[in-house]
Amino acid sequence: MIDVRDVLIRGSEKVIAHYRLLLAGAKTERERELYLSRIEREQRLLDQLQDGLPERFAA
């Protein structure tokens, strides 16, 4: 059986890795700020997933 939480965690990890690649190639300060904010947001979501799904997502 597929564990939805594990799939979401792997997806978040991939998104963070992708934004880190984009950050490395950012040409402007605005791009860097955008990618950093998205990495931070996704990291917060990942931390929540790793601590357990919020009540609203529990089945």
Side-chain angles (χ1 to χ4, degrees), residues 15-26:
V15 168
I16 290 169
H18 179 72
Y19 279 129
R20 285 186 177 144
L21 286 173
L22 291 172
L23 178 62

Side-chain angles (χ1 to χ4, degrees), residues 2-50:
I2 296 175
D3 184 1
V4 173
R5 185 173 156 266
D6 289 341
V7 171
L8 292 172
I9 288 171
R10 281 195 306 274
S12 286
E13 290 169 342
K14 286 182 178 186
V15 168
I16 290 169
H18 179 72
Y19 279 129
R20 285 186 177 144
L21 286 173
L22 291 172
L23 178 62
K27 292 179 176 51
T28 66
E29 185 61 30
R30 177 151 164 63
E31 279 183 299
R32 282 187 278 282
E33 290 171 3
L34 176 66
Y35 298 140
L36 282 172
S37 71
R38 290 183 179 179
I39 289 169
E40 290 168 359
R41 181 184 67 198
E42 195 66 34
Q43 186 62 54
R44 283 192 303 272
L45 294 171
L46 178 58
D47 292 343
Q48 289 176 354
L49 284 169
Q50 290 173 333

